[in-house]
Amino acid sequence: MEIYLVPSRPKLGNGSVISFWHDCWTPLGPLFHRFGDLGPKGTSNPKHSNRAGWIFRGARSEAAEELLIYLTYLQLPSLSTIEDTYVWVVDNEELTDFSSRKTWNVLRNRGQTQLWTKNIWFKGHVPKHAFTAWIAHQDRLSRWGMNVSPLCCLCSSTDETRDHLLLRCEISESIWDLVLGCHFQAFHTWTAFSEWLSIRDAVTSRTLKRLAAQATISSIWNERNKRLHDGEARTPAAIFNTIDRFIRDTILGKRKLKAFTPLMQLWLPNG
Ligand SMILES: [Zn+2]
């Protein structure tokens, strides 16, 4: 999971060069590692994607579900006229030439990068929410929006940046307040938010913070899309009820994982 540090990253075009199973072309790392021997046998290659979508057979595992979600965000190789390429990637920026200065700066901050990786892909993460959080972390959510008003879909009073929409908007703050209860604090920047997620403290569990934060980010993003596309608006309390139910169900479902065992007791005082 070294997407920010991999110096030369395959960039998917028409799927002619990249090895679907062996190249590190998704944030999931080489898919071969994730799916094992069964992967190449049980599922198909991107070359087999047709105009309608990816042909993907195989077991309905968590790894398969993650991959499917990721694939829905990509342009189909069969529709691309560009050859696959390999690009230098430093700090998530694609460079045409290798820059040792930029690479050094990133390597110095490697600890920070690894913390983020753990914040997102923690053990027991919910794939759908982890992907939204991962895209939000890279500040790429809005690129998938259509050509619409620049104003925030929740409050209509400020430009919709990631940090405003997900952290600082008054509607989002009310949701965070309900989710975090007595642990509530306002996050003014994405950096402050990431640091809070990474910090281990005596009062609560990092797994719970990460689970709740990803559910909150996804819910705010869904609410934004519902308002934008369907004209439907829910109150922060109604959105919180959905998050609360989701977190209870997830904790119950994953209670056999060690990190999840104590979570219901930690979560309930919030409910
Ligand atoms: Zn707003």
Side-chain angles (χ1 to χ4, degrees):
M1 200 66 66
E2 298 204 331
I3 189 159
Y4 306 111
L5 296 169
V6 170
S8 169
R9 181 165 74 188
K11 198 176 172 193
L12 185 65
N14 59 9
S16 60
V17 178
I18 286 174
S19 160
F20 185 78
W21 292 108
H22 298 278
D23 269 329
C24 184
W25 64 281
T26 78
L28 305 170
L31 297 173
F32 184 69
H33 291 168
R34 223 165 164 86
F35 287 81
D37 273 343
L38 286 173
K41 287 180 198 146
T43 50
S44 61
N45 263 338
K47 281 176 193 156
H48 300 131
S49 73
N50 56 23
R51 295 186 78 81
W54 294 82
I55 302 166
F56 193 86
R57 296 184 305 273
R60 285 279 151 182
S61 60
E62 193 168 290
E65 195 191 334
E66 275 185 338
L67 177 60
L68 275 175
I69 294 168
Y70 179 71
L71 293 179
T72 59
Y73 292 131
L74 297 178
Q75 191 194 24
L76 288 171
S78 54
L79 299 182
S80 176
T81 51
I82 307 160
E83 285 269 300
D84 296 340
T85 47
Y86 288 79
V87 289
W88 291 101
V89 179
V90 177
D91 200 14
N92 222 34
E93 184 189 345
E94 290 176 2
L95 306 172
T96 45
D97 292 308
F98 178 71
S99 157
S100 52
R101 183 181 54 80
K102 285 190 177 169
T103 307
W104 168 240
N105 281 335
V106 168
L107 286 173
R108 278 199 318 190
N109 295 324
R110 191 186 171 114
Q112 191 62 33
T113 306
Q114 285 180 335
L115 270 181
W116 242 101
T117 306
K118 286 190 182 129
N119 278 340
I120 294 185
W121 313 105
F122 64 93
K123 196 167 168 56
H125 68 267
V126 176
K128 198 170 55 176
H129 289 178
F131 266 103
T132 309
W134 175 67
I135 300 294
H137 175 60
Q138 294 183 86
D139 201 1
R140 282 170 51 200
L141 279 176
S142 54
R143 287 194 214 166
W144 298 340
M146 289 177 294
N147 200 8
V148 288
S149 155
L151 287 180
C152 170
C153 291
L154 303 186
C155 68
S156 310
S157 63
T158 311
D159 275 2
E160 189 188 83
T161 62
R162 171 194 64 182
D163 293 12
H164 170 79
L165 177 73
L166 297 178
L167 305 177
R168 290 198 296 263
C169 180
E170 58 186 25
I171 307 276
S172 310
E173 263 198 10
S174 309
I175 299 170
W176 282 112
D177 192 5
L178 291 165
V179 170
L180 300 178
C182 55
H183 303 297
F184 173 73
Q185 55 171 299
F187 304 113
H188 296 293
T189 63
W190 196 259
T191 311
F193 170 60
S194 330
E195 276 167 8
W196 171 81
L197 268 183
S198 307
I199 290 168
R200 209 187 273 283
D201 64 58
V203 204
T204 190
S205 121
R206 271 203 302 199
T207 301
L208 183 58
K209 284 204 277 190
R210 289 162 172 171
L211 179 73
Q214 292 190 354
T216 306
I217 287 174
S218 297
S219 302
I220 295 172
W221 181 243
N222 287 342
E223 176 66 14
R224 178 258 190 202
N225 290 332
K226 269 197 169 313
R227 290 191 186 198
L228 181 64
H229 303 304
D230 308 332
E232 282 173 26
R234 294 178 302 164
T235 61
I239 296 166
F240 171 70
N241 283 341
T242 318
I243 297 173
D244 180 38
R245 239 190 339 268
F246 175 83
I247 289 179
R248 286 170 197 236
D249 289 348
T250 308
I251 293 173
L252 266 180
K254 293 179 189 271
R255 64 189 179 281
K256 288 195 176 126
L257 288 177
K258 201 170 148 232
F260 282 73
T261 315
L263 295 195
M264 192 61 90
Q265 266 179 323
L266 289 169
W267 174 250
L268 281 178
N270 274 334

